[in-house]
Amino acid sequence: GESVGLHLPTLSVQEGDNSIINCAYSNSASDYFIWYKQESGKGPQFIIDIRSNMDKRQGQRVTVLLNKTVKHLSLQIAATQPGDSAVYFCAETLPPPKAAGNKLTFGGGTRVLVKP
Amino acid sequence: EAGVAQSPRYKIIEKRQSVAFWCNPISGHATLYWYQQILGQGPKLLIQFQNNGVVDDSQLPKDRFSAERLKGVDSTLKIQPAKLEDSAVYLCASKGPDNEQFFGPGTRLTVL
């Protein structure tokens, strides 16, 4: 299949280990953040989101941490599996009315490679 | 439920030619987005529709790009004429009443 990104930062992780993907967002006024997973040849897929009034949110095997002081977002994947191999993007959005309809601004992405 | 459908999946054209992409959003989703994703980058919003009206087209290169959603359901994105730098994946997404955007598989455009 086609590659989503040939020159992205890459995180290589052993199967079963935990992964941490980092993202620096751009706008201090952003109030909603989402992590997306994009596999080769597919569109981005929602993983987990967090609002700016929270600093941590957990899903199934994933945790998102938000540090508004330094405008930093991270995604932790527990017990990484081969199916987690993909490119991961963070996205931010401003509160209405500046972002009517939730206009997303995406970061540059990180490729995760899971080694068996 | 069926996801966002896009066609074609791949398109190769020469510069200065025209091309059109089609998107069928998830049934009932009022909001539709077109994104451009250049290789190695995150998607960039081109245009956003709410039903058949344009909400945001501030990043659409209007001298060559156009989009429509005449009946508030399907949408088409056109490039005329295409340039080499238009080579990218064009993603369509739709959103229902909550915040989650659902993306289609994209159309990969190569301009030679």
Side-chain angles (χ1 to χ4, degrees), chain A residues 14-68:
Chain A
Q14 200 69 37
E15 181 179 357
D17 287 352
N18 297 335
S19 302
I20 300 177
I21 307 163
N22 296 304
C23 174
Y25 63 91
S26 58
N27 195 326
S28 57
S30 294
D31 78 334
Y32 180 60
F33 305 88
I34 310 171
W35 279 100
Y36 283 92
K37 172 186 179 183
Q38 188 172 24
E39 296 174 279
S40 185
K42 297 182 179 180
Q45 178 185 9
F46 174 96
I47 301 174
I48 191 168
D49 59 357
I50 189 168
R51 291 213 170 271
S52 60
N53 60 352
M54 304 172 67
D55 54 19
K56 180 179 180 179
R57 189 162 187 229
Q58 289 184 293
Q60 186 177 13
R61 282 202 307 119
V62 293
T63 301
V64 56
L65 299 177
L66 175 63
N67 185 331
K68 295 181 288 293

Side-chain angles (χ1 to χ4, degrees), chain B residues 34-51:
Chain B
W34 282 102
Y35 291 85
Q36 180 193 58
Q37 186 174 25
I38 293 172
L39 192 64
Q41 299 180 16
K44 183 187 82 171
L45 180 69
L46 292 175
I47 189 167
Q48 175 187 333
F49 290 94
Q50 183 72 16
N51 296 308

Side-chain angles (χ1 to χ4, degrees), chain A residues 2-8 32 34 36 38 41-46 49 51 89 100-104 106-108, chain B residues 9-10 31 33 35 37 39-43 45 48 55-56 58-59 89 91 95 99-101 103-105 108:
Chain A
E2 63 205 35
S3 174
V4 171
L6 294 175
H7 306 291
L8 292 168
Y32 180 60
I34 310 171
Y36 283 92
Q38 188 172 24
K42 297 182 179 180
Q45 178 185 9
F46 174 96
D49 59 357
R51 291 213 170 271
F89 292 98
N102 296 92
K103 172 182 175 180
L104 292 173
F106 283 81
Chain B
R9 291 297 315 276
Y10 304 92
T31 310
Y33 309 82
Y35 291 85
Q37 186 174 25
L39 192 64
Q41 299 180 16
L45 180 69
Q48 175 187 333
V55 173
D56 185 346
S58 58
Q59 297 190 87
V89 175
L91 294 162
K95 185 179 81 71
N99 284 326
E100 184 173 350
Q101 291 188 26
F103 285 82
R108 181 164 186 85

Side-chain angles (χ1 to χ4, degrees), chain B residues 1-21:
Chain B
E1 66 182 0
V4 176
Q6 291 187 246
S7 68
R9 291 297 315 276
Y10 304 92
K11 188 73 177 180
I12 300 174
I13 61 173
E14 294 187 349
K15 60 183 178 182
R16 291 188 288 275
Q17 286 187 321
S18 301
V19 65
F21 313 125

